[in-house]
Structures are given as structure tokens and as C-alpha cells.
Amino acid sequence: MDVRVDAVRSGRDVQQFINLPYRHYRNDANWVPPLRMAQKDILNRRRHPFYKTSDAEMFLARRNGEIVGRVMAILNHAHNEFHQERAGFFGFFESEDDPTTAEALLGAAGDWVRSRGAEVIRGPVNPSTNYECGLLIDGCDSAPRVMMTYNPRYYAGLIEGCGFGKAMDLFAYDIAADYFIRSDKLARVAERIRNKDRISIRTVNLKDFKREVELLRVVYNDAWSKNWGFVPFSRAEFDHLAKDLKQLVDARVVLIAEQETTDGARKPVGFLLAVPDINIALKRVADGRLLPLGLMKLLWHSRKIDHMRVITMGVVQSHVSFGIGALFLSEILKRGPAAGYPKAEMSWVLENNVLMNRAAELIGGRLAKKYRIYEKRLR
């Protein structure tokens, strides 16, 4: 029987959209079930602040009445306004290993964004580059780190078979304890930056959380503004994400760089965000449910987390040439193991970000996974 693709309309449809991955991956030992409450939040088009500046439509594919795939079509107005282009996106893509199903889903997403003026469609983004994004194309034999995507190896063939080509690759570097290289050169550069440019590093102050979040948002929107695929965060969206991350953050590995001004004040010029890899514990939470026993399992296994993910490291544009990245790396190599995280993943790094890729290699990073964002021109 042919595949049928319909837009999500009812609460039951939304629940089926959420449920699909838990069934699809139930025999995959590498998949980490996300918390269902988190999935409900990010897919809530009425309440989540992302959708205040974006339009989206969710689709389900059915064969003989059974759900066999899903996708979201996205028109991100903030992206298009910032980049002055007419792009659409797809995300939350899941499919059985069948080209017909993938073509029907991605065709529906393409038609939806094209009918609203898009000339190109890119993805997967869930639902933008500020969240989980990219299709795993190399490294499917191990579990993903926190807030990184995972998918079967055959997904790349399905998407490419629908006429999509590479837009950009994203790299993930594994930094194991025995790979850490404490470079004398790195230490000397860091010390020079501290003294010459009056740069200091401090950890985030969670007691003044609201002020710190706004500080980081301003730095982020400046520091990442020239990166491929960047989308500026609104205050509401950044606050929402920060509220979620607060439950996960270990302040000892969230670093803020400040420069002393002539009047003695301290001006924030960059930050590094690393978080414990909660996926190590989430793998023990069956089906993504916290009740009745999931919360106890999550708390118990969280004590055994020895891995962190370095999510972002950036410096405002006026200070890019100062070499503050070397100072961040020097600090995180000391502070990470001291906080109980002797192993790390640095992800994701754009393939064309020469400085960050060199930095990852400098501290002994091994390229462990590759993710890809695809694109296709729309006729």
C-alpha cells in the first residue's frame, strides 16, 4: 500500500509524532531516549518561544495505518531576516528504511516551505542551528553526547536519494583523558593574554542567574554572528533555553572571559559553555519517562558522569584577534578534570572554522563523529 502523508492536526497526532522515535529505536543500543517532557516542550508550537519568530508544520507518514515516518517543515523568519535569503528548513526527521517514505515526507516539507516563498530547503535542524541539528553520517556506532543527534546509517542514503546535497558538515572531537596535551606554548600564550590584555576568566554565577543569562545572550549574538547558519537568539528564546540548561549546568565548567577597562570595570568579551553528559544517565531511563522510577534512575546514574560536552566557545568580534580561545582552552583543560570530567567531546565545530578545528587538534582531539546539514533547491 502507498505511503500517505498528513499534517498533524490533533492532540493524538502530536502524541504519535512524539512517540515514533521511542518505537523506531527500541532495539538500537546506541540511541539515548530523550525525556518526553522535553520533546513535548520543543514541539509545542503555541508556547515555545522559537515559534514566535517561525512558522512550522508537522507531518506524519502512514502505511496501512501504521506510523512509519515524521518530519517538521520550518520557516524561520529570524534566519531569513538576518541572512537576507528565502530559505526553508526540515527537522525532526525519522523514517523507515524505504525511499518512498522519505521522498513523501521530504516532498511534503519542501512543498510546504515553497508555498510560503522558500527557494531552498535545508536540514535537519530541530528546529534550528541553536538546538540539536545535523544528520549523523560518520560515527553511528556509539551513543551521542548530550544535545547531539543520532540516527541510523541509512538515513543519509534516503535524504541524498531525494536530491539533497551537502550544505555544511559539523565535526565532533573526542578528548579522552590520556589524549590531553598540556602544551607549554598554550600555557605561555594564555599567560601573555592575561597580562598584556588584562583578560581574566571566571565561572558563571548561578546566584545571579537572570543577569548572567542576559550577559551571555548579548555575547553569543555578537560572537557567533559571522558563523555559517547563525540565527540570533531573542531574549525570550534564550531565557527559555537557559532555564532548561540550568538543571544541567555545572558552574565549574561554564567560563566567562572579562577584560578590565580603564576605569577598573570588567567587560565580558567571551564565554565557554560545557555541560556534564547527562546522556550517560538518560540511557538508563526507560522510554524517556521520569515516572514512576525514571527520576530515581536518572539521579543515581548522574553520579557516575565522567564526561562533559564543550558546546560553545566564542569571543565578541572586537576581540577575536586577542587569542582568548587559547586562554579558554588552557583553563578548561585544568578545570574539567578537577570538576570530575576527565573526558570531553568538543562539538559541534563547523568544517570551515579553521581556528576551532586547529584548537581541537591542539588539545589532543580525535575527530570522532561527523554530522551533515543538507540542502536542496526548490523549483
Side-chain angles (χ1 to χ4, degrees):
M1 183 176 178
D2 291 339
V3 173
R4 173 179 171 178
V5 173
D6 297 303
V8 166
R9 289 289 176 261
S10 66
R12 184 172 182 270
D13 287 343
V14 173
Q15 195 59 50
Q16 289 178 319
F17 193 95
I18 293 172
N19 287 343
L20 176 60
Y22 298 91
R23 174 168 53 84
H24 185 53
Y25 291 99
R26 62 179 177 267
N27 296 319
D28 192 325
N30 291 320
W31 186 63
V32 179
L35 291 177
R36 288 178 180 266
M37 59 188 297
Q39 293 300 288
K40 291 177 181 178
D41 176 60
I42 193 65
L43 293 171
N44 192 324
R45 290 171 289 172
R46 288 179 295 179
R47 296 185 179 180
H48 195 285
F50 168 79
Y51 303 102
K52 291 182 179 180
T53 57
S54 299
D55 297 321
E57 188 76 274
M58 293 186 286
F59 295 92
L60 287 169
R62 293 180 174 88
R63 185 192 301 277
N64 296 328
E66 180 184 357
I67 305 296
V68 293
R70 71 175 196 179
V71 74
M72 176 186 278
I74 305 156
L75 203 61
N76 188 329
H77 302 296
H79 171 98
N80 285 336
E81 181 179 347
F82 184 84
H83 292 280
Q84 291 296 293
E85 66 173 347
R86 301 172 71 178
F89 298 86
F90 75 90
F92 302 98
F93 173 77
E94 303 287 357
S95 174
E96 62 179 345
D97 190 3
D98 182 83
T100 303
T101 303
E103 186 174 356
L105 284 166
L106 295 174
D111 289 344
W112 191 88
V113 298
R114 181 178 56 206
S115 70
R116 288 157 178 77
E119 298 173 345
V120 63
I121 183 170
R122 299 190 188 105
V125 292
N126 303 339
S128 82
T129 54
N130 288 330
Y131 300 85
E132 295 182 4
C133 64
L135 189 86
L136 182 60
I137 62 170
D138 190 6
C140 299
D141 55 349
S142 61
R145 297 301 170 189
V146 59
M147 298 172 66
M148 294 296 285
T149 63
Y150 177 80
N151 53 263
R153 199 177 300 275
Y154 68 80
Y155 273 23
L158 291 181
I159 293 175
E160 291 165 11
C162 293
F164 284 79
K166 184 180 84 167
M168 181 66 68
D169 280 353
L170 319 173
F171 297 160
Y173 289 91
D174 184 32
I175 307 169
D178 55 346
Y179 291 153
F180 273 44
I181 300 174
R182 289 169 175 80
S183 166
D184 290 339
K185 181 179 179 181
L186 182 63
R188 289 196 302 272
V189 171
E191 189 62 27
R192 179 185 61 79
I193 294 167
R194 286 190 186 93
N195 297 330
K196 176 178 178 294
D197 299 314
R198 305 185 309 281
I199 304 292
S200 61
I201 299 290
R202 68 172 176 88
T203 55
V204 68
N205 180 9
L206 295 181
K207 294 181 179 179
D208 195 4
F209 186 71
K210 185 176 181 180
R211 178 181 175 274
E212 294 282 67
V213 166
E214 179 58 17
L215 178 156
L216 295 182
R217 185 185 72 87
V218 172
V219 171
Y220 179 88
N221 282 344
D222 184 300
W224 278 264
S225 59
K226 296 187 182 300
N227 280 10
W228 181 92
F230 166 79
V231 182
F233 265 117
S234 68
R235 178 172 295 175
E237 193 179 358
F238 199 80
D239 286 350
H240 189 92
L241 180 61
K243 183 179 178 182
D244 289 341
L245 281 174
K246 188 179 181 182
Q247 311 303 317
L248 176 61
V249 159
D250 183 334
R252 296 173 294 178
V253 290
V254 181
L255 311 180
I256 299 173
E258 295 179 325
Q259 183 177 41
E260 184 179 353
T261 60
T262 54
D263 60 0
R266 306 213 65 84
K267 172 185 175 183
V269 293
F271 75 90
L272 179 150
L273 171 63
V275 296
D277 182 23
I278 194 67
N279 276 10
I280 293 172
L282 282 175
K283 280 183 70 70
R284 306 290 184 170
V285 180
D287 213 25
R289 301 182 191 276
L290 287 180
L291 299 176
L293 300 176
L295 181 57
M296 293 177 60
K297 291 181 179 179
L298 183 62
L299 293 174
W300 175 262
H301 291 286
S302 292
R303 304 182 312 158
K304 304 176 183 179
I305 295 174
D306 62 349
H307 215 115
M308 65 180 175
R309 178 184 163 216
V310 180
I311 298 179
T312 59
M313 184 178 78
V315 178
V316 294
Q317 295 299 319
S318 61
H319 286 62
V320 167
S321 63
F322 283 46
I324 297 173
L327 184 52
F328 275 135
L329 291 176
S330 178
E331 289 292 324
I332 199 64
L333 285 178
K334 293 182 294 184
R335 295 174 186 254
Y341 313 115
K343 295 176 282 188
E345 178 178 279
M346 183 183 290
S347 60
W348 42 263
V349 182
L350 292 168
E351 65 173 332
N352 66 355
N353 191 333
V354 176
L355 290 178
M356 282 301 298
N357 284 295
R358 285 180 179 172
E361 294 169 357
L362 176 65
I363 59 174
R366 176 183 63 86
L367 184 56
K369 294 180 184 288
K370 290 183 182 180
Y371 300 81
R372 178 163 295 172
I373 294 180
Y374 288 90
E375 70 177 5
K376 179 181 179 179
R377 303 299 301 181
L378 297 172
R379 295 182 180 179

